Amino acid sequence: MPKLLPDRSFYPSPTMAIQAPAETLAYVALLNPDPTASDALAVLDVDSGSPDYGAQIACVTMPGAGDELHHFGWNACSSCLCPNAPHPHMQRRYLVVPGMRSSRIHILDTVPDPRQPRLVKVIEADEVIRKTGYSRPHTVHCGPDGIYINALGNGEGNGPGGIFVIDPETFEIKGRWEKDRGPQQLSYDFWWHLGHDTMITSEWGTPNMVENGVNPELLLAGKYGNALHVWDLNSRRHLQKLELGSEYQMVLELRPAHDPNETYGFVGVVTSLKDLSSSIWMWYREGNDRGGAWRIRKAIEIPAESAAADDLPHLLKGFGAVPPLVTDLNLSLDDRFLYVSCWGTGELKQFDVSDPFNPIETGSVKLGGIVGRQAHRSRPDEPLNVAPQMIEISRDGKRLYVTNSLYRAWDEQFYPDGIKGWLAKIDVRANGGIELDPAGFLEFDGMRPHQVHLEGGDASSDSYCFS
């Protein structure tokens, strides 16, 4: 079978993408802790054969202040090969980088030199709000027919949050995506099952609920997000709400199976009001019938760990425990390994999810943590600040890249002694198990790293329509 590769980084299926060449560059969103200063996008050399391996080789500073760069994505990816809306002429060329607090959207061109991207366009906040009614853009996904971006709220910082679409060639905002949102009001993440015309969205809180940090009154009252929403991707209409219960607060990152024939995925829940545990839930559709109902069940629970009040930040002193704070997870392209970051207890966990209904823990790396401060193996005598947060996986599943900053207001609540930004590389053993690369540790001078994307694609950038 001849390969259909209009762009050499596009692959019809995840199985074919796994065979792609190893990445040589990584792009990292950098938050400036000074809200009156500019954020940036760093470029790292991750080519193990390069003399600059592990170093930051370039940095693009954003023109405005206070953006709070968070998640970002590509203008185009493997979904352009989908038969229902083929765009094989497209090129993975532009990085779409929103400011979650400023609502500006930056477009960076990685051609002709991917080692030194150039800022070519800024969509200002007033245009985003005027054309969509939304603000605080968050997740970016390259869809078959456009760039999809979700937003946390409206122009006043209240609900509803939702999704809007940008033209992938002109970067003109095409407008709000939803035609019928049903009961959905809160927003955080979105992704889809392209083979089943289904979108899934998750819930955090409106901008007014989250921008000043975790609000204990709202949290204890169960007001943060605790549900998923299922949508018809074609008609843009709400189909079903999947309730987790108000005990479970802040339902964040969504990781659907990469195999487009499958109808399941995983979502992380930050905390339980019952015992401060974190959990991973699995959504799935019953049967093979397109009319089958969607269900959700808890798949993994990670308990809080006892701690002395003197070792805890003010927000946690009354609990006598440090929560795991699961704030990111990621799924390898072969749908075998799920990685979960415990930003509170300082750990990255690996689960074999070959049977998604029965995950098995197969590996763990302890690093940092609110109390543990576990050192990196390259600096065994230095207690490490903060813990793994954002996770990115190479297409072949052999390398992980983790960063340690979450969100400015949360950083300062849970790590009040300050955040020293770093990125760590973790190697994956063939049959399960993970270990730190002693040479894969980079600190960022005064900046806080968040999402990482790899040149040519990774486990959270692309969607596929062929199995």
Side-chain angles (χ1 to χ4, degrees):
M1 175 183 175
K3 293 182 177 179
L4 177 62
L5 297 175
D7 180 301
R8 292 178 64 85
S9 73
F10 292 178
Y11 292 87
S13 73
T15 302
M16 296 175 77
I18 290 170
Q19 302 168 28
E23 67 280 2
T24 61
L25 298 174
Y27 301 100
V28 186
L30 297 181
L31 168 72
N32 194 320
D34 178 356
T36 67
S38 296
D39 294 351
L41 188 86
V43 185
L44 310 186
D45 187 330
V46 293
D47 180 353
S48 60
S50 166
D52 293 327
Y53 174 62
Q56 178 176 315
I57 56 174
C59 185
V60 181
T61 301
M62 300 300 129
D67 283 317
E68 185 114 26
L69 299 189
H70 201 69
H71 292 194
F72 62 104
W74 291 99
N75 67 308
C77 63
S78 299
S79 65
C80 289
L81 303 181
C82 287
N84 59 326
H87 288 71
H89 62 286
M90 292 296 296
Q91 184 180 14
R92 187 195 307 270
R93 172 171 177 170
Y94 298 97
L95 290 165
V96 181
V97 187
M100 193 166 73
R101 194 170 292 258
S102 69
S103 300
R104 296 186 196 97
I105 299 173
H106 311 86
I107 310 299
L108 278 69
D109 191 352
T110 65
V111 174
D113 186 359
R115 298 168 66 88
Q116 183 61 67
R118 297 173 298 118
L119 180 68
V120 294
K121 181 171 182 173
V122 178
I123 305 172
E124 294 291 347
D126 59 352
E127 182 177 350
V128 174
I129 297 169
R130 176 166 46 83
K131 292 185 175 178
T132 71
Y134 294 138
S135 70
R136 281 73 161 193
H138 184 259
T139 302
V140 178
H141 280 306
C142 38
D145 56 347
I147 302 167
Y148 287 62
I149 302 178
N150 77 334
L152 297 184
N154 63 21
E156 291 73 47
N158 299 311
I163 295 170
F164 60 96
V165 182
I166 294 180
D167 186 289
E169 296 183 269
T170 65
F171 302 106
E172 292 296 318
I173 296 175
K174 297 170 72 172
R176 184 179 287 211
W177 178 76
E178 302 88 354
K179 289 185 176 178
D180 174 5
R181 66 177 349 106
Q184 180 267 330
Q185 289 290 306
L186 301 180
S187 175
Y188 179 75
D189 198 14
F190 76 100
W191 216 348
W192 38 49
H193 297 284
L194 289 179
H196 301 267
D197 301 328
T198 300
M199 179 182 282
I200 309 290
T201 65
S202 64
E203 295 186 339
W204 182 20
T206 66
N208 290 335
M209 295 169 66
V210 304
E211 288 189 337
N212 293 319
V214 177
N215 182 318
E217 293 183 2
L218 294 176
L219 178 65
L220 295 175
K223 298 297 185 183
Y224 287 104
N226 51 59
L228 296 186
H229 298 270
V230 183
W231 305 75
D232 184 306
L233 192 53
N234 287 331
S235 69
R236 306 181 181 187
R237 298 183 185 281
H238 187 277
L239 294 176
Q240 192 175 346
K241 183 177 183 181
L242 303 176
E243 302 265 12
L244 280 64
S246 59
E247 172 191 330
Y248 299 100
Q249 290 286 285
M250 302 183 228
V251 184
L252 300 185
E253 305 292 343
L254 296 163
R255 305 299 177 192
H258 295 288
D259 183 340
N261 285 338
E262 299 291 350
T263 51
Y264 69 85
F266 299 94
V267 61
V269 178
V270 175
T271 197
S272 161
L273 297 180
K274 178 182 176 183
D275 55 13
L276 295 186
S277 64
S278 291
S279 50
I280 314 300
W281 294 62
M282 176 198 174
W283 75 84
Y284 61 99
R285 192 171 67 185
E286 289 185 327
N288 294 321
D289 183 355
R290 282 181 174 263
W294 292 84
R295 306 294 185 194
I296 190 162
R297 56 181 278 176
K298 189 192 293 186
I300 300 167
E301 183 171 288
I302 302 172
E305 298 178 359
S306 298
D310 288 347
D311 295 333
L312 295 170
H314 176 75
L315 186 67
L316 298 173
K317 283 188 181 299
F319 295 96
V322 57
L325 297 178
V326 167
T327 46
D328 193 25
L329 63 163
N330 209 335
L331 183 63
S332 60
L333 276 189
D334 59 3
D335 294 329
R336 179 180 178 188
F337 290 118
L338 182 72
Y339 297 92
V340 178
S341 63
C342 301
W343 191 63
T345 46
E347 188 174 11
L348 183 76
K349 289 177 174 287
Q350 179 197 55
F351 294 90
D352 187 329
V353 292
S354 301
D355 176 358
F357 288 90
N358 296 288
I360 299 171
E361 185 169 347
T362 46
S364 167
V365 164
K366 291 187 179 295
L367 200 58
I370 292 174
V371 175
R373 306 283 168 144
Q374 178 67 44
H376 190 276
R377 59 186 296 191
S378 66
R379 304 174 187 190
D381 299 325
E382 298 180 17
L384 188 62
N385 174 271
V386 206
Q389 205 285 118
M390 289 302 290
I391 309 163
E392 196 49 78
I393 310 172
S394 62
R395 287 174 291 185
D396 60 11
K398 296 179 179 178
R399 295 164 300 284
L400 312 178
Y401 300 88
V402 298
T403 59
N404 68 339
S405 175
L406 174 57
Y407 183 60
R408 181 187 295 130
W410 284 42
D411 287 350
E412 288 153 12
Q413 280 182 304
F414 291 99
Y415 290 92
D417 54 332
I419 299 279
K420 295 178 182 176
W422 49 257
L423 175 147
K425 174 175 168 280
I426 295 173
D427 294 324
V428 180
R429 301 188 190 111
N431 293 311
I434 51 177
E435 60 185 353
L436 286 164
D437 175 357
F441 186 72
L442 176 65
E443 292 180 295
F444 297 89
D445 186 18
M447 302 292 274
R448 300 179 185 177
H450 192 68
Q451 187 165 42
V452 178
H453 273 309
L454 305 177
E455 180 195 19
D458 47 58
S460 70
S461 64
D462 286 40
S463 307
Y464 306 90
C465 280
F466 298 90
S467 181

